Structure formats: C-alpha cells, structure tokens
Amino acid sequence: MKPTTELVDWAIEQRRYLHQHPELSHKEHETKAYVKQQLEQMGIDTYSLTGKDVIGVIKGQHEGKVIGVRSDMDALPIKEETGLPFSSKNVNVMHACGHDGHMAILLGIAKILSEKKEDIHGTILLVFQHAEEELPGGATELVAANLLDGVDAIFGYHLWQPIPSGIIGVREGPTMAGADRFSITIKGKGGHGSMPQQTIDPTLIISTIITSLQSIVSRSLTPSDEAVVSIGELHSGSNYNIIPDTAMASGTVRYFNTETSKEIRRRMESIVDGICQAHGASYELEYTHGDPPLFNDAKLTKFMEAQAQDVFGIENVQRIDGIMGSEDFAYYSTEIPSSYIFIGIGSEASPYGHHHPRFDIDEDMISIGIELFTKSLVDYLKEANA
Ligand code: NI
C-alpha cells in the first residue's frame, strides 16, 4: 500500500501545521483537538481515556483481534533555531524530537486504513498519546486507564536521527533503557577555608562519593550487563575561602534489566552511607525509578523486520544496538507484546540530534512510516486471525 503522492503531501502538510503549533507535555490541548478533528473528518470514531489523549478506532469489515499503534504528541521547552518557514509559533516550545512527524505518520495511516476496511480483520486503535517527555507520562496514565484491556499487540516507532535516512532499525528484547534519577545532598558543617579541622567539608565528601559511584558499573555489575551512572549536576559553595554547609549532586541511571537498577540503587545507598559515616556527615538520598526498559517482543519484532525487508529491501533494514535513551512506550511493553522500531532520518541536511534547537526531520521518511505500518497492521491482523 504505497501512499499516493497526494496523501504524502497531505501528511507533510499535517506535520508542518503541527510543527508550527507545538505544546508541552500534559498541555497538548490544541494538538489533541486538531488530531481529533482530522480523524473525525475521515469518519473515524474517537474517544479519550484521560482527556489528554485521542484514540481513533478503525473497525474492519471482518471480525478479529484488536491491535494498537501509537504516536506521541508533545513538544519540548526549547527555543527553535531551525529558521524553517513553518517554525514554531509558540515561544520557547518546539517539536524538537520528531513527534510532529510521528503524528503525521499516524494521520496518514488513519487516512489510508479508514478507506480499506474491507482489508482489515479486526480493530486498529490509533493511539495519539500525550506527555511522552515527562514523568509521570502519558503511557502510564493510559495503561492505568485500561487502554490495553483486550488489546493483542501494540506497535510504535520513532523517527531516529542517529540512523541514516531510509534505514529501518529493529531490535528484539531490551531495546531502550530504563531510566532512574537520583539526587544526593550532603549535610556537613561549614566554616573558614583556613580552618578545615573545625568543619565537615561537604565538597570533599560529595567528590569522594562521585568518584566511588563510578565503581558501581565497573566493579559491581556483571561486565556483560549494560548500564550507565552519570552525574549531571553538582553544586557546592559560593566563595573561594568558605567551606559550605551542604553540597548536592544529581544524576541519571540507565539499564536494560530492572534487577540491575535495584542493584545500582543498593550499591549507591551503601556508598553514600559509608562515605558520610566515615566523615561524620549526614545526607539525603532521593532515588526515583523512572521509565522501565522498553522490551521488544521477539515474535512481533521479527514480523516487523520481515515486513520492513519486504517493503524496503533487506539492505535497508538493520539490527541495532540497545539505545540508552528511555521512552515511555516501555510501559506498554511490560503489559502486552509490543514492537517499537526506528525510522532513520539522519542526513547531512539535518545533522542535529534530538532535542537540539536546530533539530529537523527528513520529511521523506513520513511516507516510509506510513507505508510500513499500513501494510504491517493489515497483515498482522490477517495472520493473527488466520
Ligand atoms: Ni521522542
């Protein structure tokens, strides 16, 4: 089902309109209304489970299973610097991750499938999800609102800059990392820099902790177990000769296995506690578990890989490494068989990565996404009900 030039042009127009009107997570009011209106104009029934999402329902002419396909809708608090004629009209808000393209793809899929009901053996839910970029995000809310009840499988995709344009990236098993965050505050005792013996120096303590945290991945985890512990924030003191009372650091933990996350947390607690005790300081450690790892079902992903090879040729489909970024589609993947794939958009024309003020997508890949998923969804239902 190669989309017609007319349909592709229409989808690109949708992307540009949505790009001009970006909205932040949990505030996608206009976006939601626009998508709903587009779906209803196609004769597609819609509903919303949280008041922030839109779900379109395409019921095929034949009985069968229910499957879902998801696009995210939110933008980021970034001031756009692309100089595109359809740049963001909303100050300091930008579609800098490609979710505008994701919506355009799903609207394109909707438009084709709404006219192909005779080919559909079951029901397809078009899930326009809010708040992918924030915690707690839209996927958690939709799972809690029973989106997945009675749903056999769910598919998702990301236009992905690290992969070259025209290439589809697939992976089975743990595909995107789980992401936790932590912050450590050391409570020491301040004083004059010339009289350290009268102080409990939180700067020295936090420095020792930061160095020791780097031993978790290298010394405590199995070498084949991939994980990251990174400190992104560090504050201590305000003047060259004053030892401050407190110091703080915060950071992120990434992993592909929830047991690994528990082990990292356990080791972090003991490192912080041990070092603080040794120095006579007290501390607060906040550790928050965020998105779990995104797990791609093997059978479903092999199916998607075969579909992509069928449409675009074996040479244009690649098995990729796990990605240390996180994605709240992961919450679906812990509930039902899921497959999340990557549509390459990397090129010299758009060298900027996701979340960069000059990030742009290769619009030619919108038609690739539409073609791949219209075929895959129809074929999946046909095979599932055969
Ligand atoms: Ni994204």
Side-chain angles (χ1 to χ4, degrees):
M1 275 180 262
K2 202 171 173 56
T4 60
T5 320
E6 194 191 354
L7 183 120
V8 172
D9 289 347
W10 176 84
I12 290 174
E13 261 175 51
Q14 303 306 307
R15 182 259 162 163
R16 293 183 178 187
Y17 176 84
L18 292 161
H19 190 85
Q20 270 189 309
H21 302 92
E23 293 175 298
L24 295 175
S25 310
H26 294 289
K27 293 176 185 154
E28 303 95 327
H29 312 293
E30 304 289 325
T31 308
K32 183 201 145 176
Y34 183 80
V35 164
K36 183 171 161 23
Q37 184 195 18
Q38 293 302 318
L39 294 174
E40 285 172 357
Q41 275 174 15
M42 299 171 202
I44 296 174
D45 289 335
T46 68
Y47 66 98
S48 177
L49 287 170
T50 66
K52 300 183 230 175
D53 62 282
V54 190
I55 297 160
V57 186
I58 301 180
K59 203 164 163 21
Q61 275 179 18
H62 314 272
E63 286 301 309
K65 296 199 159 143
V66 181
I67 57 173
V69 53
R70 174 274 215 168
S71 162
D72 32 23
M73 296 196 286
D74 50 339
L76 290 153
I78 292 175
K79 187 176 185 321
E80 179 161 358
E81 292 173 13
T82 60
L84 289 167
F86 50 87
S87 286
S88 169
K89 288 186 172 174
N90 297 344
V91 185
N92 296 335
V93 185
M94 175 187 176
H95 269 297
C97 195
H99 301 182
D100 49 342
H102 300 172
M103 288 186 275
I105 289 172
L106 195 47
L107 286 170
I109 295 169
K111 204 160 179 130
I112 295 180
L113 294 184
S114 64
E115 291 162 9
K116 292 268 179 204
K117 288 187 184 148
E118 67 280 8
D119 290 341
I120 299 173
H121 294 248
T123 301
I124 297 171
L125 302 180
L126 310 160
V127 180
F128 288 88
Q129 179 209 303
H130 60 291
E132 188 280 319
E133 302 280 3
E134 261 196 19
L135 282 174
T140 333
E141 293 182 357
L142 288 176
V143 169
N146 302 323
L147 167 70
L148 301 177
D149 281 11
V151 177
D152 194 49
I154 188 160
F155 299 86
Y157 50 88
H158 211 299
L159 294 164
W160 201 243
Q161 198 273 340
I163 298 177
S165 253
I167 302 289
I168 305 289
V170 297
R171 182 177 166 90
E172 279 174 39
T175 297
M176 293 188 76
D180 299 344
R181 63 160 66 181
F182 60 90
S183 85
I184 304 164
T185 304
I186 307 301
K187 295 173 181 167
K189 186 176 161 219
H192 200 287
S194 66
M195 289 177 272
Q197 74 281 12
Q198 294 180 356
T199 71
I200 296 171
D201 184 356
T203 310
L204 176 64
I205 298 168
I206 199 94
S207 308
T208 310
I209 288 172
I210 290 171
T211 311
S212 300
L213 290 180
Q214 292 310 320
S215 71
I216 299 177
V217 173
S218 73
R219 303 291 87 176
S220 300
L221 302 185
T222 309
S224 57
D225 203 356
E226 294 166 283
V228 172
V229 176
S230 287
I231 300 279
E233 186 184 17
L234 174 61
H235 301 288
S236 181
S238 56
N239 197 49
Y240 82 101
N241 64 355
I242 300 172
I243 291 171
D245 279 323
T246 62
M248 78 79 70
S250 73
T252 184
V253 172
R254 304 293 166 116
Y255 53 91
F256 288 114
N257 177 331
T258 39
E259 287 309 312
T260 306
S261 149
K262 287 182 200 160
E263 173 65 5
I264 292 173
R265 180 178 186 164
R266 199 185 63 71
R267 288 282 298 124
M268 184 176 292
E269 283 167 353
S270 88
I271 287 171
V272 172
D273 190 66
I275 292 174
C276 284
Q277 263 198 39
H279 290 270
S282 60
Y283 66 91
E284 264 172 33
L285 170 60
E286 270 178 51
Y287 193 103
T288 314
H289 292 280
D291 291 342
L294 189 159
F295 192 88
N296 268 343
D297 178 76
K299 194 171 154 224
L300 215 55
T301 303
K302 282 201 183 82
F303 167 81
M304 283 308 298
E305 183 179 34
Q307 289 280 322
Q309 289 173 343
D310 203 27
V311 183
F312 308 116
I314 288 176
E315 66 282 10
N316 292 318
V317 182
Q318 285 178 5
R319 289 250 160 174
I320 58 167
D321 289 338
I323 293 168
M324 280 296 167
S326 69
E327 157 64 64
D328 80 348
F329 188 85
Y331 287 100
Y332 305 131
S333 81
T334 59
E335 300 287 324
I336 63 169
S338 306
S339 187
Y340 193 77
I341 65 143
F342 300 85
I343 302 168
I345 52 165
S347 71
E348 279 174 23
S350 75
Y352 302 101
H354 296 271
H355 296 204
H356 189 282
R358 292 190 189 168
F359 172 80
D360 190 16
I361 64 170
D362 176 354
E363 288 181 329
D364 288 345
M365 296 307 110
I366 289 176
S367 105
I368 298 259
I370 296 172
E371 186 174 1
L372 175 59
F373 279 96
T374 43
K375 175 171 154 44
S376 304
L377 298 168
V378 168
D379 287 357
Y380 180 85
L381 283 175
K382 228 173 247 169
E383 284 178 26
N385 294 299

